[in-house]
Coordinates of all heavy atoms in Angstrom, one line a residue:
C479 N 3.6 -9.1 12.2 CA 2.6 -8.7 13.2 C 1.5 -8.0 12.4 O 1.7 -7.0 11.8 CB 3.2 -7.8 14.2 SG 1.9 -7.1 15.4
A480 N 0.3 -8.6 12.5 CA -0.9 -8.0 11.9 C -1.6 -7.2 12.9 O -1.9 -7.8 14.0 CB -1.7 -9.0 11.3
A481 N -1.8 -5.9 12.7 CA -2.4 -5.0 13.7 C -3.7 -4.5 13.2 O -3.8 -3.8 12.2 CB -1.5 -3.9 14.1
S482 N -4.9 -4.8 13.9 CA -6.1 -4.3 13.5 C -6.3 -3.0 14.3 O -7.1 -3.0 15.2 CB -7.2 -5.3 13.9 OG -7.3 -5.6 15.3
I483 N -5.6 -2.0 13.9 CA -5.7 -0.6 14.4 C -6.2 0.3 13.3 O -5.6 0.4 12.3 CB -4.3 -0.2 15.0 CG1 -3.7 -1.3 15.9 CG2 -4.5 1.2 15.7 CD1 -2.4 -1.0 16.4
S484 N -7.2 1.1 13.7 CA -7.8 1.9 12.7 C -6.9 3.1 12.2 O -7.0 3.5 11.1 CB -9.1 2.5 13.2 OG -8.9 3.3 14.4
V485 N -6.1 3.6 13.1 CA -5.2 4.6 12.8 C -3.7 4.2 12.9 O -2.8 4.8 13.5 CB -5.4 5.9 13.7 CG1 -6.6 6.6 13.3 CG2 -5.4 5.5 15.1
F486 N -3.5 3.0 12.4 CA -2.2 2.3 12.6 C -1.0 3.2 12.1 O 0.0 3.2 12.8 CB -2.2 1.0 11.7 CG -0.8 0.3 11.6 CD1 -0.5 -0.5 12.7 CD2 0.0 0.5 10.6 CE1 0.8 -1.2 12.6 CE2 1.2 -0.2 10.5 CZ 1.6 -1.1 11.5
S487 N -1.1 3.9 11.1 CA 0.0 4.7 10.6 C 0.5 5.8 11.6 O 1.5 6.3 11.5 CB -0.4 5.4 9.3 OG -1.5 6.2 9.4
A488 N -0.4 6.1 12.5 CA 0.0 7.2 13.5 C 0.7 6.6 14.7 O 1.3 7.4 15.5 CB -1.3 7.8 14.0
Y489 N 0.7 5.4 14.8 CA 1.3 4.7 16.0 C 2.8 4.5 15.8 O 3.2 4.0 14.7 CB 0.7 3.3 16.3 CG -0.6 3.4 17.1 CD1 -1.8 3.8 16.5 CD2 -0.6 3.1 18.5 CE1 -3.0 3.8 17.3 CE2 -1.7 3.1 19.2 CZ -2.9 3.5 18.6 OH -4.1 3.5 19.3
T490 N 3.6 4.8 16.9 CA 4.9 4.2 17.0 C 4.7 2.7 17.4 O 3.9 2.4 18.3 CB 5.7 4.9 18.1 OG1 6.1 6.2 17.6 CG2 7.0 4.1 18.3
M491 N 5.3 1.8 16.6 CA 5.2 0.3 16.9 C 6.5 -0.2 17.4 O 7.6 0.3 17.1 CB 4.7 -0.4 15.7 CG 3.3 0.0 15.2 SD 2.0 -0.3 16.5 CE 2.0 -2.1 16.5
A492 N 6.4 -1.3 18.0 CA 7.7 -1.9 18.6 C 7.5 -3.5 18.6 O 6.4 -4.0 18.6 CB 7.9 -1.4 20.0
W493 N 8.7 -4.1 18.7 CA 8.8 -5.5 19.0 C 9.4 -5.6 20.4 O 10.3 -4.9 20.8 CB 9.6 -6.3 18.0 CG 8.9 -6.5 16.7 CD1 9.0 -5.7 15.6 CD2 8.1 -7.6 16.4 NE1 8.1 -6.4 14.6 CE2 7.6 -7.5 15.1 CE3 7.7 -8.7 17.2 CZ2 6.8 -8.4 14.5 CZ3 6.8 -9.7 16.5 CH2 6.4 -9.5 15.2
Y494 N 8.8 -6.6 21.1 CA 9.4 -6.9 22.5 C 9.6 -8.5 22.6 O 9.1 -9.2 21.7 CB 8.3 -6.6 23.6 CG 7.8 -5.2 23.6 CD1 6.9 -4.7 22.6 CD2 8.2 -4.3 24.6 CE1 6.4 -3.4 22.7 CE2 7.8 -3.0 24.6 CZ 6.9 -2.5 23.7 OH 6.4 -1.2 23.7
R495 N 10.3 -8.8 23.5 CA 10.6 -10.3 23.8 C 10.6 -10.5 25.2 O 10.9 -9.7 26.0 CB 11.8 -10.8 23.1 CG 13.1 -10.3 23.7 CD 14.3 -10.7 22.8 NE 15.6 -10.3 23.4 CZ 16.7 -10.4 22.7 NH1 16.8 -11.0 21.5 NH2 17.8 -9.9 23.3
Q496 N 10.2 -11.8 25.6 CA 10.3 -12.2 27.0 C 10.8 -13.7 27.0 O 10.2 -14.6 26.5 CB 8.9 -12.2 27.6 CG 8.9 -12.5 29.1 CD 7.6 -12.1 29.8 OE1 6.6 -11.9 29.2 NE2 7.7 -11.9 31.1
A497 N 11.9 -13.8 27.7 CA 12.6 -15.2 27.8 C 12.0 -15.7 29.1 O 11.7 -15.0 30.0 CB 14.1 -15.0 27.9
P498 N 12.1 -17.0 29.3 CA 11.6 -17.6 30.5 C 12.4 -17.0 31.7 O 13.6 -17.0 31.8 CB 12.0 -19.1 30.3 CG 12.1 -19.3 28.8 CD 12.6 -18.0 28.3
G499 N 11.6 -16.7 32.7 CA 12.2 -16.2 34.0 C 12.7 -14.8 33.9 O 13.3 -14.3 34.9
K500 N 12.4 -14.1 32.8 CA 13.0 -12.7 32.6 C 11.8 -11.8 32.3 O 10.7 -12.2 31.9 CB 14.0 -12.6 31.5 CG 15.3 -13.4 31.8 CD 16.3 -13.2 30.7 CE 17.6 -13.9 31.0 NZ 18.6 -13.6 30.0
Q501 N 12.1 -10.5 32.5 CA 11.1 -9.5 32.2 C 11.0 -9.2 30.7 O 12.0 -9.5 30.0 CB 11.4 -8.2 32.9 CG 11.2 -8.2 34.4 CD 11.3 -6.8 35.0 OE1 12.1 -5.9 34.5 NE2 10.7 -6.6 36.1
R502 N 9.9 -8.8 30.3 CA 9.7 -8.4 28.8 C 10.6 -7.2 28.5 O 10.7 -6.3 29.3 CB 8.3 -8.1 28.6 CG 7.9 -7.9 27.1 CD 6.4 -7.7 27.0 NE 5.7 -9.0 27.3 CZ 4.4 -9.0 27.4 NH1 3.7 -8.0 27.5 NH2 3.8 -10.2 27.7
E503 N 11.3 -7.3 27.4 CA 12.1 -6.2 27.0 C 11.9 -5.8 25.6 O 11.5 -6.5 24.7 CB 13.6 -6.7 27.1 CG 14.1 -7.8 26.2 CD 15.6 -8.1 26.2 OE1 16.3 -7.2 26.6 OE2 16.0 -9.2 25.8
L504 N 12.2 -4.5 25.4 CA 12.0 -3.9 24.0 C 13.2 -4.2 23.2 O 14.4 -4.1 23.6 CB 11.9 -2.4 24.2 CG 11.7 -1.5 23.0 CD1 10.2 -1.7 22.4 CD2 11.9 0.0 23.3
V505 N 12.9 -4.6 21.9 CA 14.0 -5.0 21.0 C 14.1 -4.2 19.7 O 15.1 -4.2 19.1 CB 14.0 -6.5 20.6 CG1 14.3 -7.3 21.9 CG2 12.8 -6.9 20.0
A506 N 13.0 -3.5 19.4 CA 13.0 -2.6 18.2 C 11.8 -1.7 18.2 O 10.8 -2.1 18.7 CB 13.0 -3.5 17.0
V507 N 12.0 -0.5 17.7 CA 11.0 0.5 17.7 C 11.0 1.2 16.3 O 12.1 1.4 15.7 CB 11.2 1.6 18.8 CG1 10.1 2.6 18.6 CG2 11.2 1.0 20.2
I508 N 9.8 1.5 15.8 CA 9.7 2.2 14.5 C 8.6 3.2 14.7 O 7.5 2.9 15.1 CB 9.4 1.3 13.3 CG1 9.5 2.1 12.0 CG2 8.1 0.4 13.5 CD1 9.6 1.2 10.8
T509 N 9.0 4.5 14.4 CA 8.0 5.6 14.6 C 7.0 5.6 13.4 O 7.2 4.9 12.4 CB 8.7 6.9 14.7 OG1 9.3 7.2 13.5 CG2 9.8 6.9 15.8
S510 N 6.0 6.5 13.5 CA 5.1 6.7 12.3 C 5.9 7.1 11.1 O 5.4 6.9 10.0 CB 4.0 7.6 12.8 OG 4.5 8.8 13.1
G511 N 6.9 7.9 11.3 CA 7.7 8.4 10.2 C 8.8 7.5 9.7 O 9.5 7.8 8.7
G512 N 8.9 6.3 10.3 CA 9.9 5.3 9.8 C 11.3 5.3 10.5 O 12.1 4.5 10.2
S513 N 11.4 6.2 11.5 CA 12.7 6.1 12.3 C 12.7 4.9 13.2 O 11.7 4.5 13.7 CB 12.8 7.4 13.1 OG 12.9 8.6 12.3
T514 N 13.9 4.3 13.3 CA 14.0 3.1 14.0 C 15.1 3.3 15.1 O 15.9 4.1 15.1 CB 14.4 1.9 13.1 OG1 15.7 2.2 12.5 CG2 13.4 1.7 12.1
N515 N 14.9 2.4 16.2 CA 15.9 2.4 17.2 C 16.0 1.0 17.8 O 15.0 0.2 17.8 CB 15.4 3.4 18.4 CG 16.6 3.7 19.3 OD1 17.8 3.5 18.9 ND2 16.3 4.4 20.3
Y516 N 17.2 0.6 18.3 CA 17.4 -0.7 18.8 C 18.3 -0.7 20.0 O 19.2 0.2 20.1 CB 18.1 -1.6 17.8 CG 17.4 -1.6 16.4 CD1 17.8 -0.6 15.5 CD2 16.4 -2.6 16.1 CE1 17.2 -0.7 14.1 CE2 15.9 -2.6 14.8 CZ 16.2 -1.5 13.9 OH 15.6 -1.6 12.6
P517 N 18.1 -1.6 21.0 CA 19.1 -1.8 22.0 C 20.4 -2.3 21.5 O 20.4 -3.0 20.5 CB 18.4 -2.6 23.0 CG 17.5 -3.5 22.2 CD 17.1 -2.6 21.1
D518 N 21.5 -2.1 22.2 CA 22.8 -2.6 21.8 C 22.8 -4.1 21.6 O 23.5 -4.6 20.7 CB 23.9 -2.2 22.7 CG 24.2 -0.7 22.8 OD1 23.8 -0.1 21.8 OD2 24.8 -0.3 23.7
S519 N 21.9 -4.8 22.3 CA 22.0 -6.3 22.2 C 21.6 -6.8 20.8 O 21.9 -8.0 20.5 CB 21.0 -6.9 23.3 OG 19.7 -6.4 23.2
V520 N 20.8 -6.1 20.1 CA 20.3 -6.5 18.8 C 20.7 -5.6 17.6 O 20.5 -6.0 16.5 CB 18.8 -6.7 18.7 CG1 18.4 -7.6 19.9 CG2 18.1 -5.4 18.8
K521 N 21.3 -4.5 18.0 CA 21.7 -3.5 17.0 C 22.6 -4.1 15.9 O 23.6 -4.8 16.3 CB 22.3 -2.3 17.6 CG 22.5 -1.1 16.7 CD 23.0 0.1 17.5 CE 22.0 0.6 18.5 NZ 22.4 1.8 19.2
G522 N 22.3 -3.9 14.6 CA 23.1 -4.5 13.6 C 22.7 -5.9 13.2 O 23.1 -6.4 12.1
R523 N 21.8 -6.5 13.9 CA 21.3 -7.9 13.6 C 19.8 -7.8 13.3 O 19.4 -8.7 12.5 CB 21.6 -8.8 14.8 CG 23.1 -8.9 15.1 CD 23.3 -10.1 16.1 NE 22.6 -9.8 17.4 CZ 21.7 -10.6 17.9 NH1 21.4 -11.7 17.3 NH2 21.1 -10.4 19.1
F524 N 19.1 -7.0 14.0 CA 17.6 -7.0 13.8 C 17.3 -5.7 13.0 O 17.8 -4.7 13.2 CB 16.9 -6.9 15.2 CG 17.0 -8.2 15.9 CD1 17.8 -9.3 15.6 CD2 16.1 -8.4 17.1 CE1 17.9 -10.4 16.3 CE2 16.2 -9.5 17.8 CZ 17.0 -10.6 17.5
T525 N 16.2 -5.8 12.2 CA 15.7 -4.7 11.5 C 14.2 -4.7 11.6 O 13.5 -5.7 11.2 CB 16.1 -4.7 10.0 OG1 17.5 -4.8 9.9 CG2 15.6 -3.5 9.2
I526 N 13.6 -3.6 12.0 CA 12.1 -3.5 12.1 C 11.7 -2.6 10.9 O 12.4 -1.7 10.4 CB 11.7 -2.8 13.4 CG1 10.2 -2.8 13.6 CG2 12.3 -1.4 13.5 CD1 9.7 -2.3 15.0

């Protein structure tokens, strides 16, 4: 993901996904400091 944000480093960023007929869901988060978090559905398989 290329982000044209002037203060990008200050943002917590995340990946989301949306399957057909379903709501968008959060799949990975990374803070400005590099801490990460994942839902159980992708934990251990996805890395942000």
